[in-house]
Amino acid sequence: KQEVTQIPAALSVPEGENLVLNCSFTDSAIYNLQWFRQDPGKGLTSLLLIQSSQREQTSGRLNASLDKSSGRSTLYIAASQPGDSATYLCAVRSRGGADGLTFGKGTHLIIQP
Amino acid sequence: EADIYQTPRYLVIGTGKKITLECSQTMGHDKMYWYQQDPGMELHLIHYSYGVNSTEKGDLSSESTVSRIRTEHFPLTLESARPSHTSQYLCASAPSGRHNEQFFGPGTRLTVL
C-alpha cells in the first residue's frame, strides 16, 4: 500500500529565503507526482505535475524534482513571499490500486514579513 | 470559465438527516473523484468515476454513495448522517488517461451534530 510522508510538518521562515519541502513515497511504481497548495477554508490549487519519466518541473519561483527510484521529491521555493504561506501537499498517482491520488499530510508553511 | 463547483460550501446538520453534496465541472473531464479530509489529516480517496454510469470505491471505506448520470455532475449522498461523518469533502476531476493532472473544487465542510 502506497504511503506518502512529508517533512517537515511545519516551517516558519523570514521573507526572501529560499526553502525546500520534502516528500517521500514507499512504492516507486507511480504514473506521476503532483504538488498542491491548500489555503485555509479553500480547496487545493495544483502547482506542479511531474510525470514518472521526468526529473523536474518548473513554474515561476517553484521547482519540483522527482527521484522515482529512491521514492523522493522536493519542492524548491525561491525568494519566498508572505503570500506563499499555505499548506503544501504532495500526492502520487500509483500504478496499482484505486485510480486516485495518495496524499501526504502536508507541510504548513509560514513566511514571516 | 472552466471550473469545478461544489455546493454547499458549509453545512451543519443534525444526526439522521439525508444529505447530498453537489459537485459539477465545466472542464469537459471524463474522470471525477471524491476525497475526504478530516481535520489535520491527509486526504483519502472515497469514490471515483471514469464516466457516465461508472462508479468505483476508493481506498477509504465510506458509508456515502455516488452517482454519475451526467458527465459534468458527480453528487455524493449520505442516507443518514452521523457525527463521524463530520469532515471536509473535496471533489476533483481529470481528463481520461493515467498521466493527467487532477483539479480540485473548493470543498464542502460538513458538520453533523
Side-chain angles (χ1 to χ4, degrees), chain B residues 11 13-19 21 36-39 46 61-65 76-89 108-113:
Chain B
L11 179 61
I13 201 164
T15 297
K17 300 291 186 182
K18 178 180 178 179
I19 60 171
L21 307 184
Q36 182 176 340
Q37 185 181 30
D38 293 334
I46 52 174
S61 176
S62 173
E63 295 171 344
S64 59
T65 59
L76 181 145
T77 298
L78 279 164
E79 290 293 333
S80 179
R82 295 206 301 268
S84 61
H85 296 141
T86 295
S87 191
Q88 176 158 257
Y89 294 84
T108 294
R109 188 168 296 277
L110 172 66
T111 301
V112 184
L113 303 175

Side-chain angles (χ1 to χ4, degrees), chain A residues 49-64:
Chain A
L49 171 72
I50 310 178
Q51 303 294 353
S52 60
S53 58
Q54 297 176 321
R55 298 286 293 188
E56 66 178 303
Q57 280 286 341
T58 298
S59 176
R61 293 182 294 108
L62 305 179
N63 176 275

Side-chain angles (χ1 to χ4, degrees), chain A residues 31 41 46 51 93 99, chain B residues 9 31 33 50 98-99 101:
Chain A
Y31 289 110
S46 180
Q51 303 294 353
R93 175 88 186 282
D99 184 4
Chain B
R9 292 292 314 281
K31 299 167 78 171
Y33 308 83
Y50 290 114
R98 298 187 181 278
H99 303 280
E101 191 172 5

Side-chain angles (χ1 to χ4, degrees), chain A residues 6-13 20-21 86-87 105-110:
Chain A
Q6 291 188 246
I7 294 173
L11 182 63
S12 180
V13 300
V20 175
L21 308 182
T87 297
K105 290 186 178 181
T107 294
H108 182 54
L109 176 64
I110 296 175

Side-chain angles (χ1 to χ4, degrees), chain A residues 12-53:
Chain A
S12 180
V13 300
E15 179 178 4
E17 283 201 6
N18 303 324
L19 54 98
V20 175
L21 308 182
N22 296 291
C23 171
S24 62
F25 46 96
T26 55
D27 186 351
S28 61
I30 64 170
Y31 289 110
N32 55 47
L33 182 145
Q34 215 170 332
W35 282 94
F36 297 89
R37 69 175 280 168
Q38 185 173 31
D39 295 282
K42 297 186 178 181
L44 276 62
T45 301
S46 180
L47 298 173
L48 289 163
L49 171 72
I50 310 178
Q51 303 294 353
S52 60
S53 58

Side-chain angles (χ1 to χ4, degrees), chain B residues 26-39:
Chain B
T26 56
M27 312 279 281
H29 291 163
D30 289 322
K31 299 167 78 171
M32 296 188 75
Y33 308 83
W34 277 103
Y35 292 85
Q36 182 176 340
Q37 185 181 30
D38 293 334

